[in-house]
């Protein structure tokens, strides 16, 4: 039987904690009391941390040469971000931009999600243990930290049961999308600040509902904390912040639809401190944001092309899960790091039934609205089933042209459904425990927990697969490269690109002894300043890449040789290096003809000293 809403678990959102007189305690007694109260929190945090370490144990066990194979080249890119940030901090260089990649134009680090919010404070870790350790540490802390932050919000503002809150935190931190991004994208894994931002807004809103008199000092403190949290999240990732802000707004709107006057009172009360918080955020981030949008190598937007969820992705099991091991359906994800839905059909059944049974709960209705809206947005401009276009036009067709939104991969909008689903699971668990508190023989809690096990066990994450990467050529690690660099760049044959960015790792292992032509980053192209992955194509780079892919030596004429000199001048090249790679003989013979003299073999690489050519 459904209870009255005033007696429901979600009423905690609108309830003021009673004042309880506390006896005078000694310092030791107060410490013991805090530890007793925190015991559940510590147990939950320890469980989350253990699971995060287990999921990433393959990388932790091989932090020297291990590589998360499903990351493509993204792990190399993120390690470079952390390494170059630490290098810049240690040498007192400006970390917002770097010419060590894409020389001489450089890279706008703020426009490349460099995550200064962790890259800068973890500089000692990067310098002492290397960027791979920083990379896997951020991923590990991201999984467990995000889970615990949502647990904290649920346990303090939504339900009284720590167990129910722990279920929600577990789902938020280890949902399929989180595990998928844990292969390569720490900016979509370390999301712990988002629930803290939500928590601050909820507490401010509750005071407005209660009519609690708040001093100017308290309002200013709230504004400062909120502005600081948002500024820190900008330093960790702006795209997750945008998705969260939109989802939180939808949740709040639907939650207060039944009492619009209350909602308007909250808006009026919160407007001044929120505006002050926005000013504080701008003050803290104005220079980095200016650099991102107007600084060197900035771009206006990036055209990802269609990056949507397939309808099948909503109901299939993720590849890195128990369900995926036994019943992985058609591969309809963008790639292995973007399984942003993959909730599995059992979970949707359980959530749908729970929503129907708890529809009177305002938080359930609001969560259902978030799930529906953002899932539809994630399907892109038209719905596809099994990669086949249905022709059904969806809202994203018009929203795709909205500034800021058009830079979001639409598939990622479904990540807003993760905390919304968690809210339903948390409230359902709390209700089941409430039933048990009335009658220990009530069958309904057992039915609910059996259904939740049926829905969640297939989503249990497995250990992310790791391979051993090839060692860096000795030419880069023993100092030989210094003999061939005189203020110019090293041109790898072919220059590094998004499909093969290994040269970034070699540069890191050399201690940043040289800048690289080309690279893996996002930068502007042409006069439109449209963002793209990697630099504008140079003819010589394209020629070498084509020769490697076809394994055929192209016909080299005088025009090719002249163009090669033009490109070498553009790159300010000191040396062209051919490391061990696919079809290396074809590349070597092509470059011999292109440059007009044979290569020299030094410390495991072929090289052409081109300082005398330009």
């Amino acid at each position: 039987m459904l209870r009255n809403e005033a007696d429901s678990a979600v009423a905690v959102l609108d309830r003021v904690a009673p004042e309880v007189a506390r006896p005078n305690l000694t310092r030791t007694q107060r410490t013991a009391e805090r530890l007793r109260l925190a015991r559940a929190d510590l147990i939950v945090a320890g469980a989350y941390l253990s699971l995060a370490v287990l999921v990433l144990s393959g990388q932790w066990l091989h932090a020297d040469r291990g590589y998360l194979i499903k990351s493509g080249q993204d792990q190399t890119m993120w390690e470079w971000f952390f390494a170059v940030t630490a290098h810049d901090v240690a040498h007192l260089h400006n970390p917002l931009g770097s010419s060590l990649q894409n020389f001489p134009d450089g890279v706008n680090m703020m426009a490349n999600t460099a995550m200064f919010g962790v890259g800068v404070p973890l500089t000692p870790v990067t310098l002492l243990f290397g960027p791979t350790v920083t990379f896997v540490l951020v991923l590990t802390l991201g999984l467990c930290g995000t889970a615990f932050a949502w647990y904290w919000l649920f346990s303090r503002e939504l339900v009284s049961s720590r167990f129910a809150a722990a279920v929600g935190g577990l789902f938020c931190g280890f949902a399929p999308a989180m595990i998928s991004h844990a292969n390569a994208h720490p900016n979509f894994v370390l999301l712990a600040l988002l629930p803290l931002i939500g928590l601050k807004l909820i507490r401010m809103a509750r005071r407005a509902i209660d009519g609690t008199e708040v001093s100017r000092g308290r309002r200013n403190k709230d504004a400062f904390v909120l502005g600081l949290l948002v500024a820190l999240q900008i330093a960790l990732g702006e795209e997750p912040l945008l998705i969260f802000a939109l989802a939180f707004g939808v949740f709040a709107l639907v939650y207060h639809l039944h009492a619009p006057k209350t909602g308007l009172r909250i808006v009026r009360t919160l407007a001044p401190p929120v505006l002050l918080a926005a000013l504080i955020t701008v003050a803290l981030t104005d220079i980095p944001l200016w650099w991102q949008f107007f600084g060197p190598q900035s771009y206006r937007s990036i055209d990802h092309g269609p990056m949507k969820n397939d309808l099948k992705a909503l109901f299939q099991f993720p590849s890195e899960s128990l369900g995926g091991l036994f019943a992985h359906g058609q591969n309809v994800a963008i790639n292995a790091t973007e399984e942003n839905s993959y909730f599995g059909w059992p979970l949707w059944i359980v959530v749908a039934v729970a929503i129907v049974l708890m529809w009177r709960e305002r938080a359930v209705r609001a969560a259902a609205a978030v799930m529906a809206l953002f899932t539809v947005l994630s399907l892109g401009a038209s719905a596809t089933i099994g990669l086949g276009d249905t022709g059904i036009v969806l809202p994203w067709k018009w929203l795709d042209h909205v500034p800021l939104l058009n830079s979001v991969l639409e598939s990622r909008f479904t990540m807003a459904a993760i905390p919304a689903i968690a809210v339903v699971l948390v409230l359902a668990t709390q209700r089941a425990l409430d039933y048990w508190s009335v009658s220990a023989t009530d069958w309904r809690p057992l039915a609910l927990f059996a259904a939740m096990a049926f829905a969640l066990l297939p989503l249990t994450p497995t250990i992310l697969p790791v391979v051993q990467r090839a060692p860096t050529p000795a030419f880069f690690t023993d100092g030989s490269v210094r003999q061939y660099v005189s203020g110019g760049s090293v041109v790898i044959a072919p220059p590094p690109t998004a499909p093969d960015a290994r040269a970034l790792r070699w540069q890191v292992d050399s201690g940043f002894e040289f800048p690289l032509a080309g690279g893996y980053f996002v930068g502007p192209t042409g006069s439109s300043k449209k963002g793209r992955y990697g630099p504008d194509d140079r003819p010589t780079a394209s020629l070498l890449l084509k020769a490697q892919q076809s394994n055929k030596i192209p016909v080299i004429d005088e025009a090719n040789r002249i163009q090669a000199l033009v490109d070498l001048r553009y790159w300010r090249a000191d040396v062209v290096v051919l490391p061990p790679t696919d079809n290396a003989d074809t590349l070597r013979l092509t470059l011999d003809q292109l440059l007009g003299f044979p290569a020299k073999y030094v410390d495991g690489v072929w090289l052409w000293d081109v300082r005398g050519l330009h």
Side-chain angles (χ1 to χ4, degrees):
M1 188 174 94
L2 292 173
R3 297 173 298 165
N4 293 330
E5 186 169 354
D7 299 325
S8 68
V10 76
V12 176
L13 287 169
D14 304 320
R15 190 181 304 148
V16 180
E19 294 287 338
V20 179
R22 296 184 179 183
N24 292 327
L25 300 175
T26 66
R27 178 179 296 180
T28 302
Q29 289 173 326
R30 286 198 299 270
T31 302
E33 178 72 4
R34 291 192 190 100
L35 289 176
R36 185 186 68 79
L37 294 174
R39 181 173 58 185
D41 297 338
L42 292 173
I43 291 173
V44 170
Y48 290 158
L49 179 60
S50 299
L51 181 56
V53 171
L54 178 63
V55 168
L56 291 160
S57 58
Q59 186 66 71
W60 276 115
L61 291 172
H62 303 282
D64 52 347
R65 289 177 54 191
Y67 195 87
L68 291 161
I69 186 59
K70 290 192 173 183
S71 73
Q73 296 297 303
D74 284 354
Q75 178 173 342
T76 298
M77 178 188 69
W78 280 100
E79 289 178 357
W80 188 89
F81 285 158
F82 291 136
V84 79
T85 297
H87 179 268
D88 287 341
V89 170
H91 292 83
L92 301 180
H93 296 162
N94 174 18
L96 301 178
S98 176
S99 61
L100 287 168
Q101 188 181 166
N102 191 36
F103 190 82
D105 297 323
V107 175
N108 188 319
M109 297 289 284
M110 265 304 295
N112 275 270
T113 62
M115 290 188 76
F116 294 123
V118 288
V120 172
L122 290 180
T123 288
V125 174
T126 305
L127 295 177
L128 288 173
F129 304 106
T132 303
V133 171
T134 301
F135 175 73
V136 68
L137 177 63
V138 172
L139 290 174
T140 304
L141 295 179
L143 290 174
C144 67
T146 301
F148 188 77
W150 281 107
Y151 157 80
W152 188 270
L153 186 152
F154 295 147
S155 63
R156 269 63 182 178
E157 297 297 331
L158 187 61
V159 292
S160 58
S161 167
R162 293 292 196 268
F163 175 75
V167 171
L170 181 68
F171 185 76
C172 287
F174 297 89
M178 297 291 289
I179 300 302
S180 176
H181 284 290
N183 281 290
H185 303 149
N187 60 322
F188 267 91
V189 174
L190 183 54
L191 305 178
L193 292 183
L194 299 181
L196 297 184
I197 293 171
L199 179 63
K200 173 56 68 175
L201 289 170
I202 289 171
R203 289 180 173 175
M204 293 167 65
R206 192 194 315 114
R207 288 199 296 268
I209 294 173
D210 298 335
T212 305
E213 189 68 29
V214 180
S215 66
R216 177 178 295 183
R218 180 60 181 271
R219 288 197 299 269
N220 291 341
K221 180 181 177 182
D222 286 341
F224 176 78
V225 171
L226 182 60
L228 180 61
L229 288 173
V230 174
L232 289 173
Q233 179 58 48
I234 288 174
L236 295 177
E238 297 166 37
E239 192 175 345
L241 177 61
L242 175 61
I243 296 172
F244 170 79
L246 294 172
F248 190 85
V250 171
F251 186 95
L253 177 64
V254 177
Y255 185 82
H256 291 289
L257 274 180
H258 80 295
K261 290 183 178 180
T262 301
L264 289 175
R265 185 166 72 248
I266 292 173
V267 171
R268 286 195 299 268
T269 305
L270 264 61
V274 168
L275 288 174
L276 178 58
L279 292 175
I280 292 170
T281 298
V282 171
L284 293 173
T285 60
D286 57 345
I287 294 176
L289 289 178
W290 179 92
W291 194 281
Q292 175 180 346
F293 293 105
F294 304 104
Q297 292 298 103
S298 59
Y299 53 91
R300 296 291 175 262
S301 64
I302 182 168
D303 186 8
H304 294 287
M307 292 289 181
K308 59 186 179 180
N309 281 331
D310 189 277
L311 278 167
K312 279 191 174 182
L314 301 178
F315 304 100
Q316 293 182 167
F317 297 121
S319 57
E320 293 304 324
S321 68
L322 293 183
L325 290 177
F326 300 103
H328 186 61
Q330 179 185 0
N331 181 16
V332 293
I334 299 169
N335 56 56
T337 67
E338 296 288 348
E339 293 184 355
N340 295 309
S341 183
Y342 284 83
F343 293 113
W345 58 268
L347 179 62
W348 284 119
I349 292 176
V350 171
V351 169
V353 172
I355 289 173
V356 171
L357 294 177
M358 298 189 298
W359 185 250
R360 294 179 63 186
E361 302 275 13
R362 283 184 285 154
V364 170
R365 296 197 297 270
V370 171
M371 286 182 231
L373 176 58
F374 286 84
T375 298
V376 170
L377 289 179
S378 78
L379 298 176
S382 62
T384 58
I385 301 178
L387 302 180
D389 197 337
T390 63
I392 300 174
V393 178
L394 298 173
W396 185 250
K397 178 179 176 63
W398 298 278
L399 294 176
D400 187 27
H401 305 292
V402 177
L404 293 183
L405 284 182
N406 59 6
S407 293
V408 177
L409 270 66
E410 56 267 39
S411 169
R412 293 174 177 174
F413 279 117
T414 197
M415 292 186 71
I418 294 173
I421 291 172
V423 165
V424 175
L425 297 178
V426 168
L427 291 174
T429 303
Q430 178 70 63
R431 177 166 292 192
L433 295 175
D434 289 344
Y435 285 142
W436 252 341
S437 68
V438 175
S439 173
T441 60
D442 196 322
W443 61 270
R444 287 173 294 184
L446 288 177
L448 171 71
F449 293 140
M452 288 180 60
F454 172 68
L456 296 179
L457 281 178
L459 303 181
T460 302
T462 54
I463 297 174
L464 298 182
V466 171
V467 296
Q468 297 293 304
R469 59 181 133 197
T472 298
F475 175 76
F476 298 110
T477 58
D478 65 6
S480 296
V481 66
R482 288 197 297 267
Q483 302 174 29
Y484 297 92
V485 177
S486 306
S489 71
V490 170
V491 177
I492 303 296
T497 58
D500 185 1
R502 293 174 299 161
L504 273 64
R505 174 72 184 196
W506 304 336
Q507 184 191 50
V508 171
D509 289 344
S510 76
F512 293 106
E513 291 286 353
F514 57 91
L516 273 169
Y520 183 20
F521 60 95
V522 181
T525 179
S527 58
S528 65
K529 300 203 77 174
K530 196 85 169 179
R532 61 165 286 173
Y533 291 97
D536 281 330
D537 297 325
R538 303 295 301 180
T540 302
S542 299
L543 184 147
L544 293 174
L545 186 61
K546 183 177 179 181
Q548 182 183 44
Q549 292 173 343
S550 66
N551 196 24
K552 294 181 180 179
I553 302 172
V555 176
I556 303 297
D557 56 21
E558 190 61 24
N560 296 129
R561 296 187 181 93
I562 293 173
Q563 183 61 58
L565 292 177
V566 171
D567 290 337
L568 291 174
R569 292 190 187 103
Y570 178 85
W571 289 320
R572 302 180 194 174
D574 283 342
V575 63
V576 178
V577 176
L578 174 61
T581 188
D582 295 336
N583 301 325
D585 289 340
T586 297
L587 285 170
R588 178 172 57 84
L589 295 173
T590 299
L591 279 163
D592 284 347
Q593 295 185 41
L594 197 61
L595 300 177
F597 62 95
K600 180 181 179 182
Y601 192 74
V602 178
D603 277 352
V605 303
W606 292 98
L607 62 84
W608 295 259
D609 189 337
V610 295
R611 285 173 288 188
L613 296 184
H614 57 93

